[in-house]
Amino acid sequence: LMPNTTYYVQAYATNSVGTSYGGVESFTTSFGNAIWNGSVSNDWGTSENWSGGVVPDADFNVFIPGDLSNYPTITASAECNNLIIESTESSTGSLLGQGNLTINGIVVVERFMTGNEWHMIASPVPGQIISEFLTTNTNIPTKNTDDRGMMDYNETLNNWNAFFTSSQPGNLASGKGFSLRTDDDDFVVFTGALETGTVLTSVTTNGDGWNCIGNPYSSAGLR
């Protein structure tokens, strides 16, 4: 059966008298799952690079694991339903050429964090509301009443701003860096839309000139 497809069925029985039909019923299959393995190259459009040998389209959820030698590059137009870029303790999945990809569902990117240490990070799927990010990632610890283990940098004061709270306003803007920690070795999950354009991140020089910025793309390499 094809994924994400509605099928119609009708039961019937035949004997010496004739054929009797039941009512027409319908059902819709779920989206297919396409898992990238990169077994022959980094070309998204090569079927051998996908488990099952099928290049995904709009009827498939796509999973890109970490710890692979080849990660997908999209050089022609492509489409999928949901996109999940997974992470391991040593590597985060990667995607190049995301401007050629149409995503009809959601994008989720995992990042592995060493627990009880501060990390400087930027969202690979910018635009997510900070309070929603903190609510989703319950492993970002709470200190005192509602202070969470996340903050941004104040260049003018040459110091970190106060800890964020669970109701922190604003969003995870493209290229903006944050200091973040988890209470154990664990993953944090970003949900949003892939950055596909050129990002111009403004910096200030009101103080000592230190600004916290980061990679806004879904790849550790060049976009």
Side-chain angles (χ1 to χ4, degrees):
L1 300 180
M2 298 297 294
N4 192 32
T5 302
T6 300
Y7 289 89
Y8 296 88
V9 295
Q10 186 177 37
Y12 68 93
T14 301
N15 57 23
S16 58
V17 178
T19 300
S20 177
Y21 293 91
V24 176
E25 304 290 342
S26 66
F27 65 93
T28 301
T29 55
S30 60
F31 287 93
N33 292 321
I35 302 176
W36 172 266
N37 59 44
S39 59
V40 297
S41 69
N42 63 358
D43 179 32
W44 175 287
T46 298
S47 60
E48 290 85 355
N49 286 324
W50 297 95
S51 299
V54 177
V55 177
D57 57 20
D59 293 328
F60 285 82
N61 297 320
V62 169
F63 296 84
I64 302 175
D67 280 345
L68 297 177
S69 299
N70 292 322
Y71 286 111
T73 297
I74 306 173
T75 56
S77 60
E79 190 172 6
C80 69
N81 183 45
N82 297 332
L83 171 65
I84 298 178
I85 300 179
E86 297 183 312
S87 177
T88 67
E89 294 185 9
S90 59
S91 177
T92 297
S94 182
L95 174 65
L96 291 169
Q98 58 265 39
N100 297 317
L101 177 62
T102 299
I103 302 168
N104 300 317
I106 61 172
V107 178
V108 175
V109 180
E110 295 178 346
R111 284 285 172 84
F112 180 79
M113 308 285 289
T114 304
N116 296 311
E117 296 181 5
W118 288 101
H119 301 263
M120 285 184 283
I121 60 96
S123 175
V125 280
Q128 185 175 9
I129 297 172
I130 294 174
S131 59
E132 293 180 355
F133 174 75
L134 290 169
T135 299
T136 299
N137 293 284
T138 57
N139 53 357
I140 299 174
T142 301
K143 180 181 179 181
N144 301 325
T145 303
D146 194 33
D147 292 340
R148 302 293 298 277
M150 185 176 184
M151 50 192 168
D152 58 0
Y153 197 73
N154 189 318
E155 184 272 333
T156 301
L157 299 178
N158 193 27
N159 205 347
W160 294 97
N161 287 318
F163 292 115
F164 288 173
T165 68
S166 297
S167 58
Q168 182 73 26
N171 58 36
L172 304 177
S174 290
K176 181 176 175 60
F178 301 90
S179 186
L180 180 70
R181 68 185 293 154
T182 55
D183 54 14
D184 204 348
D185 292 355
D186 206 351
F187 301 95
V188 292
V189 177
F190 299 87
T191 304
L194 290 179
E195 180 61 71
T196 59
T198 299
V199 174
L200 300 176
T201 302
S202 61
V203 297
T204 62
T205 55
N206 300 315
D208 288 349
W210 293 103
N211 289 260
C212 186
I213 60 176
N215 177 16
Y217 302 109
S218 57
S219 172
L222 297 176
R223 183 173 62 86

